[in-house]
Amino acid sequence: MKFNKNQIALFSKNLNSLDDPTLKEKLKGLAITHYELILGKDSLDINLKDKRNGTFLYKDAIKELDVMLKTYNEKYLLYPVLYFYGFGNGILFKALLKNKHYEHLVVFEKELEIIKIMFHLLDFSKELKENRLLLFDANNLDLQDYYNLCSRDPFFTFSRTYFLELSSDYYEKDQEEILKINNNLIKNFKRAILSNGNDSKDALQGIEQFIYNLPVMLTRAPYQNLLKQRAELSDTAIIVSTGPSLTKQLDTLKQYANKATIIAADSAYPILAKHNIKPDYVLSLERIFSTSKFFDNNFEEFDKNILFITTHLTHPQTIKNLKSNNRNFMLAYRKNQFATYLSINQFDGLHEGHSVANIAYGLAGLLRHKNIILIGQDLAYAKDGSSHPKEHVYGSYDAIDRDKISYHLQTLAYGGKELVYTKEAWNLFRHVLEKHIFQTKQLKLCVTYNCTEGGARIEGTIEKPFKEVCETLLKEDLKKPFPKVKNLSQDKQNELLLKAYYKIYKSIRHCKDFKEELLKSYNYILESFSNLNLISNLNEGKEILNYLVQEIDKIKVKFEDGKNMVDLYEILRPLQTQFELNLARIYVLNPKTLEDSYNKSLLWVKEHIEFFKMVYAHIEAQEKALIENISPLEDELDQRNLEKWKEKIKNAK
């Protein structure tokens, strides 16, 4: 296919406006062999013939364009984001983007020749530069691409209005690809929602346990000291998880234990103790009571020189069990707004992720290991349906009926030749782990080996037998035990304890004041809303509703004041996330009559009234949680003869 000078210049202009360097290079070097350009008399009549099978991009390009525009201008006029499979002739997107409400059009295209041809015919440079038109190569999308899209706004905020549309019937041939993209978008929207918090009860439990654990945390060595004092002491870290494949690796692990840093999941700790394989670190993540059972034991001398690391949210019974045998442990936090509010940055640094393996990988990276080896990281069921080794504290089978294993998800197996059964939670763990591996690989920080020799494939890792990798990398014994991590000085501990106490009481007062202010606004809005039943004139009712929307916005501005709301963010974030996602469904409704507009505003105000009611209950719950769990901190202050300062803070107005 030949193009004139003006068309070639236009192609370059469009190409230079693309934000994706990989797609840019692909289009630049792509030969056009599969399509024949067909131009009608009308400038909008642009079609392509697929020479491979004789099919056309459109049966009637202009008529199909009119139908699509009519549909979108009526049903989806207020949608900030729309998703399409197939670039087509691109005219649909040029036309839609004249609507100021459409902030972004996301387009996936497998046949890149189509984009290249249309880039010679139509000017998309403005839409591409402004990122209002986002093009994705459907042949070259990884999980990180999906997550990057789904986790940022406005894509995330309007995730519950998502649907994927074909730009023409021609693309029905790509059913498998369309389903794959659709499923990946849905999964990553769910993942983004989960990372933003989706359970207020869970958040409240976290706050309760954090406040209760605070004196233990502040009087032990901080996580940042660990990272400073033990960085670069070892080239290779072995992360030990408890998938069913772990058992076969224990002999090799024991042989090489002194030649690498061993980072074990809490569930692996009793198994390693039984085989006399001493880990350097044991990590625990869960905040539930059942996790404490991993430490309900007494291994005496075996525990010497092991550093146990658990989160600030851990269940108090876990701390009790760790203390009972005088184990060396510390508490650390990650991305926690209330901890940020307390200004205890020395204890920050745990990696993101929903599994112990995720934070273990983060620790291995922060300690600057050049090689990270994964074992027991199956993230899938074994062929017999087991989820853990036989020696696992809670047994080798997950809490499911193993006869129903066939109903679980499937994913690519280790080795890439088969499929294995997995479940949503393990898929989530794997996706986060793959994200971290991708980042370290991109920055050339370390090489990651998956030596599980079973389970699911983990993208970005080098799959090799465990023994072979150990023989290659682990030649010399390390100088163990590693240096002891220093505690903060007594004076610094006292300072942090008093500062935390002051800020907790400040938050208690904030809860009281904000509740009072919110209740006053809530009652006023509720009363005005209730009086709408007495008004029969729609115009008059609409005026009142518009006024109430303005009053609602004033309250919401205070919610969004990050500086002043930081202490309440943890409890309110899951509630607000779910509310805003549901609210987006109302936002995109396109009223066509005064009655439609009235009903939309009515629904908007009604939803906010219910939301404010729930906000009040959540803040009240946080206030109660702070008051009921502050006693251990008060006891610690008394033991340190800091009662005078404690009382001064408590009685301050």
Side-chain angles (χ1 to χ4, degrees):
M1 191 176 294
K2 291 185 178 181
F3 298 100
N4 61 40
K5 288 182 180 179
N6 289 337
Q7 290 172 328
I8 292 169
L10 180 58
F11 173 71
S12 295
K13 184 181 180 183
N14 282 323
L15 205 62
N16 291 332
S17 302
L18 262 179
D19 198 29
D20 182 344
T22 305
L23 179 57
K24 189 182 292 188
E25 287 304 310
K26 272 192 177 182
L27 290 171
K28 194 183 291 183
L30 189 67
I32 299 170
T33 58
H34 296 148
Y35 293 92
E36 177 187 336
L37 179 62
I38 300 169
L39 299 174
K41 293 179 182 179
D42 194 302
S43 61
L44 299 179
D45 190 4
I46 301 174
N47 209 342
L48 291 177
K49 180 181 179 181
D50 189 334
K51 293 190 285 187
R52 292 166 296 187
N53 53 26
T55 58
F56 291 86
L57 202 56
Y58 305 99
K59 292 173 184 173
D60 186 327
I62 295 175
K63 186 177 179 181
E64 289 177 44
L65 175 66
D66 287 342
V67 171
M68 290 287 274
L69 287 177
K70 186 178 180 182
T71 300
Y72 277 86
N73 287 329
E74 286 184 7
K75 289 182 69 177
Y76 309 116
L77 185 71
L78 300 180
Y79 279 58
V81 186
L82 294 170
Y83 300 82
F84 295 88
Y85 183 87
F87 189 65
N89 62 21
I91 296 172
L92 172 65
F93 309 125
K94 288 284 291 184
L96 287 175
L97 286 173
K98 289 178 181 177
N99 176 0
K100 63 181 181 179
H101 296 294
Y102 297 142
E103 295 178 33
H104 302 282
L105 302 185
V106 181
V107 183
F108 301 91
E109 178 58 79
K110 183 180 179 182
E111 305 286 359
L112 299 187
E113 284 186 37
I114 293 176
I115 296 177
K116 183 160 187 173
I117 293 167
M118 297 311 160
F119 268 20
H120 283 86
L121 304 179
L122 296 168
D123 187 352
F124 298 99
S125 59
K126 186 173 186 291
E127 293 86 352
L128 291 168
K129 276 180 183 175
E130 293 174 352
N131 281 326
R132 294 188 70 205
L133 178 61
L134 299 172
L135 296 182
F136 287 92
D137 176 4
N139 307 290
N140 189 37
L141 284 169
D142 59 32
L143 290 170
Q144 193 59 38
D145 293 323
Y146 285 109
Y147 187 72
N148 289 343
L149 178 70
C150 296
S151 60
R152 60 190 172 102
D153 280 334
F155 312 98
F156 172 72
T157 300
F158 288 88
S159 57
R160 288 190 176 151
T161 65
Y162 158 78
F163 65 94
L164 184 62
E165 180 78 88
L166 302 191
S167 64
S168 82
D169 292 344
Y170 167 79
Y171 291 102
E172 288 179 356
K173 66 185 177 62
D174 296 334
Q175 277 298 318
E176 190 175 331
E177 192 65 42
I178 293 162
L179 285 172
K180 182 182 174 183
I181 290 171
N182 186 57
N183 289 337
N184 279 329
L185 285 167
I186 290 170
K187 283 177 186 176
N188 280 278
F189 278 131
K190 286 180 180 177
R191 182 179 155 199
I193 291 168
L194 188 61
S195 69
N196 277 272
N198 66 341
D199 190 342
S200 296
K201 287 182 180 178
D202 194 49
L204 182 62
Q205 182 189 3
I207 290 170
E208 289 172 344
Q209 291 176 192
F210 175 37
I211 300 305
Y212 192 88
N213 295 337
L214 200 52
V216 176
M217 182 180 194
L218 298 180
T219 55
R220 290 186 170 263
Y223 192 68
Q224 287 297 315
N225 279 9
L226 162 65
L227 302 181
K228 289 172 188 172
Q229 291 171 230
R230 292 192 176 180
E232 298 181 336
L233 295 180
S234 164
D235 283 345
T236 303
I238 301 173
I239 297 174
V240 185
S241 302
T242 49
S245 68
L246 176 62
T247 305
K248 68 185 176 188
Q249 310 292 22
L250 292 175
D251 287 343
T252 303
L253 180 62
K254 188 169 186 175
Q255 184 182 346
Y256 287 93
N258 289 325
K259 300 180 189 297
T261 303
I262 309 298
I263 306 175
D266 47 8
S267 55
Y269 160 63
I271 298 172
L272 296 184
K274 184 177 179 180
H275 291 267
N276 198 30
I277 304 170
K278 186 190 288 283
D280 301 292
Y281 304 96
V282 173
L283 271 57
S284 185
L285 177 63
E286 295 290 342
R287 64 189 72 182
I288 54 179
F289 176 83
S290 57
T291 301
S292 66
K293 192 171 180 181
F294 298 129
F295 307 107
D296 188 13
N297 40 52
N298 185 359
F299 299 135
E300 299 174 343
E301 280 298 306
F302 177 81
D303 289 336
K304 191 177 179 182
N305 299 319
I306 299 175
L307 179 56
F308 296 82
I309 304 171
T310 186
T311 72
H312 63 305
L313 308 174
T314 197
H315 196 281
Q317 187 61 44
T318 296
I319 293 176
K320 189 176 179 182
N321 289 348
L322 287 168
K323 278 183 172 181
S324 67
N325 293 310
N326 201 30
R327 296 178 178 99
N328 180 25
F329 72 94
M330 64 169 57
L331 277 68
Y333 74 90
R334 51 157 185 198
K335 283 189 176 181
N336 182 278
Q337 290 297 317
F338 202 84
T340 302
Y341 165 72
L342 294 180
S343 302
I344 49 173
N345 301 334
Q346 300 96 321
F347 300 86
D348 186 16
L350 282 184
H351 223 47
E352 67 170 311
H354 303 279
S355 75
V356 183
N358 294 148
I359 61 169
Y361 190 86
L363 174 60
L366 290 169
L367 291 175
R368 297 180 209 159
H369 292 92
K370 295 174 184 175
N371 309 296
I372 300 176
I373 300 170
L374 308 175
I375 61 170
Q377 192 59 37
D378 293 66
L379 297 172
Y381 295 100
K383 289 183 178 179
D384 65 355
S386 62
S387 55
H388 299 94
K390 290 179 181 177
E391 296 164 307
H392 193 277
V393 167
Y394 286 106
S396 57
Y397 289 94
D398 205 357
I400 60 160
D401 181 351
R402 54 184 175 178
D403 293 332
K404 295 179 181 177
I405 192 103
S406 59
Y407 295 105
H408 284 267
L409 297 172
Q410 283 189 301
T411 188
L412 196 63
Y414 182 98
K417 294 180 180 178
E418 299 177 355
L419 292 174
V420 285
Y421 290 106
T422 185
K423 61 180 179 179
E424 284 285 2
W426 290 339
N427 266 346
L428 176 64
F429 300 162
R430 180 168 51 82
H431 292 163
V432 176
L433 191 56
E434 288 172 340
K435 173 188 167 186
H436 294 156
I437 291 167
F438 174 79
Q439 289 168 341
T440 57
K441 194 175 181 181
Q442 202 173 36
L443 297 170
K444 298 181 179 177
L445 298 175
C446 66
V447 179
T448 307
Y449 297 88
N450 185 2
C451 300
T452 297
E453 298 180 70
R457 164 160 280 186
I458 300 171
E459 298 295 341
T461 63
I462 297 170
E463 295 179 338
K464 279 191 175 181
F466 185 38
K467 191 167 184 64
E468 181 184 327
V469 172
C470 289
E471 287 171 349
T472 304
L473 298 177
L474 307 179
K475 303 292 187 183
E476 298 178 3
D477 285 348
L478 296 174
K479 191 177 179 180
K480 292 189 181 184
F482 295 132
K484 187 178 179 182
V485 183
K486 294 177 182 177
N487 281 15
L488 298 174
S489 68
Q490 189 81 355
D491 286 346
K492 187 63 180 176
Q493 289 178 26
N494 289 347
E495 178 191 329
L496 290 176
L497 288 164
L498 284 168
K499 186 188 286 186
Y501 190 69
Y502 164 75
K503 292 218 167 184
I504 291 168
Y505 256 93
K506 186 179 177 183
S507 182
I508 291 170
R509 294 186 192 101
H510 186 202
C511 288
K512 292 179 186 295
D513 293 342
F514 196 80
K515 274 197 312 173
E516 186 178 328
E517 185 181 359
L518 182 62
L519 186 61
K520 186 177 178 181
S521 297
Y522 169 82
N523 285 335
Y524 173 73
I525 292 170
L526 182 61
E527 183 181 355
S528 300
F529 184 76
S530 300
N531 288 337
L532 284 170
N533 294 326
L534 306 174
I535 297 169
S536 56
N537 187 298
L538 279 182
N539 284 311
E540 189 180 342
K542 189 69 169 65
E543 281 183 25
I544 293 172
L545 285 170
N546 288 340
Y547 174 72
L548 291 180
V549 169
Q550 291 174 20
E551 291 300 302
I552 285 166
D553 287 343
K554 288 178 186 176
I555 301 171
K556 290 181 77 175
V557 165
K558 292 178 182 178
F559 283 168
E560 292 159 10
D561 184 349
K563 187 177 179 181
N564 292 321
M565 294 295 287
V566 65
D567 61 314
L568 299 177
Y569 184 78
E570 206 69 32
I571 189 75
L572 293 182
R573 183 179 66 170
L575 174 67
Q576 194 164 7
T577 296
Q578 297 301 320
F579 174 71
E580 293 293 341
L581 292 176
N582 288 330
L583 200 64
R585 291 169 171 162
I586 301 174
Y587 177 89
V588 298
L589 294 175
N590 182 25
K592 294 182 178 63
T593 65
L594 178 60
E595 188 175 0
D596 287 345
S597 179
Y598 178 86
N599 287 333
K600 180 177 178 178
S601 297
L602 193 73
L603 186 57
W604 186 271
V605 173
K606 184 180 178 182
E607 289 296 311
H608 279 88
I609 288 171
E610 289 301 312
F611 173 60
F612 292 154
K613 186 178 177 181
M614 288 189 287
V615 167
Y616 184 92
H618 279 64
I619 295 173
E620 192 167 54
Q622 172 153 324
E623 180 188 350
K624 185 180 177 184
L626 296 178
I627 292 169
E628 289 182 351
N629 290 280
I630 201 172
S631 55
L633 180 54
E634 291 182 324
D635 292 343
E636 184 67 32
L637 292 172
D638 290 345
Q639 288 172 24
R640 290 171 176 250
N641 297 317
L642 298 170
E643 300 100 320
K644 174 186 170 184
W645 300 104
K646 182 192 80 173
E647 291 304 316
K648 191 174 181 180
I649 291 167
K650 195 173 183 178
N651 296 322
K653 293 183 180 179

